[in-house]
Amino acid sequence: MNTKTMEGLVGARTNMNLLNTPMRVYKEARRKGDTATMERAMGYVDEFSDKAEEYKAEADKGMEEDARQAREQAKLLREEAVRKRREEREKTEKEIAEKRNADANMETNTNTNVDTDINLRETKGCLLEISEEGKVLLKDNINPDSTGSNEIKPDILKEPVTYTKTGKMAASEQGAGISVSV
């Protein structure tokens, strides 16, 4: 809190508290009918209320300065956060670039741990690596009757198997079925 704000608030409160005494004197003098004392008490009341307003104006100026400083501080914090985010982004971009370079070097490097029996096929701009085991599995699962694209045989054609609680295969019931009527 700004010193002007504190001084203004304390001064205004003190003068408002000091205003209570002349007001009490004014009320007592009015009850008695003493106009001279009433006028003198009202002079003190005016003086204390004027000082309280001056302190209030000072407190307002101090609060404006506090608000301005808070805005400047918030602006500095935002700029610092933006700078940090920018640095982190640049660092991440560098790491990604290094990783891409490392991946590119691994692809071109002949001393990698790649199976030497892998054949390469180019399909739609992509490079596919298919090992001998993969070729055998592919031949076993491709439907020879299909025309057009290579369709993989669905596993649904296999006979369903049921297991018992002990883990042994149980004979499947052919007659079991569900019928629903509405």
Side-chain angles (χ1 to χ4, degrees):
M1 185 180 276
N2 195 340
T3 56
K4 284 185 178 181
T5 305
M6 291 189 318
E7 184 179 325
L9 292 173
V10 170
R13 181 166 188 240
T14 302
N15 280 296
M16 289 304 289
N17 288 340
L18 290 174
L19 185 99
N20 291 335
T21 304
M23 280 301 288
R24 190 171 21 94
V25 170
Y26 171 80
K27 289 177 184 177
E28 189 176 317
R30 188 177 69 187
R31 219 175 332 124
K32 291 181 182 178
D34 187 5
T35 56
T37 307
M38 285 173 49
E39 287 177 6
R40 194 172 48 236
M42 280 310 287
Y44 287 122
V45 168
D46 287 340
E47 183 181 327
F48 287 134
S49 65
D50 289 343
K51 283 185 181 178
E53 286 180 24
E54 289 173 10
Y55 279 115
K56 180 188 176 293
E58 188 175 336
D60 289 341
K61 287 180 187 176
M63 289 179 7
E64 287 174 7
E65 288 179 15
D66 283 343
R68 183 178 42 81
Q69 288 175 353
R71 283 191 301 268
E72 290 174 0
Q73 184 69 23
K75 182 180 177 182
L76 291 174
L77 289 174
R78 281 192 307 269
E79 289 173 356
E80 181 69 19
V82 167
R83 185 186 59 77
K84 284 182 180 179
R85 276 188 249 130
R86 188 174 294 132
E87 288 175 356
E88 289 175 3
R89 185 182 60 217
E90 289 173 357
K91 181 180 175 185
T92 304
E93 288 174 355
K94 284 181 182 178
E95 289 175 357
I96 290 171
E98 289 173 2
K99 191 172 185 179
R100 284 182 184 163
N101 289 338
D103 290 344
N105 289 339
M106 284 184 67
E107 288 178 7
T108 59
N109 190 359
T110 57
N111 295 331
T112 59
N113 295 331
V114 177
D115 189 5
T116 56
D117 295 333
I118 295 176
N119 289 336
L120 301 176
R121 269 193 215 173
E122 191 169 330
T123 307
K124 295 182 185 178
C126 299
L127 192 61
L128 300 176
E129 299 177 8
I130 302 175
S131 67
E132 292 300 322
E133 293 173 359
K135 288 180 183 179
V136 170
L137 288 173
L138 185 63
K139 285 180 184 177
D140 289 344
N141 288 323
I142 291 181
N143 188 353
D145 299 333
S146 69
T147 59
S149 67
N150 294 337
E151 295 178 10
I152 297 176
K153 293 180 186 176
D155 290 337
I156 299 173
L157 299 176
K158 293 181 181 177
E159 196 66 33
V161 179
T162 307
Y163 292 97
T164 63
K165 290 182 180 179
T166 60
K168 295 181 181 179
M169 257 199 281
S172 61
E173 297 177 20
Q174 295 293 334
I178 299 174
S179 76
V180 177
S181 59
V182 180

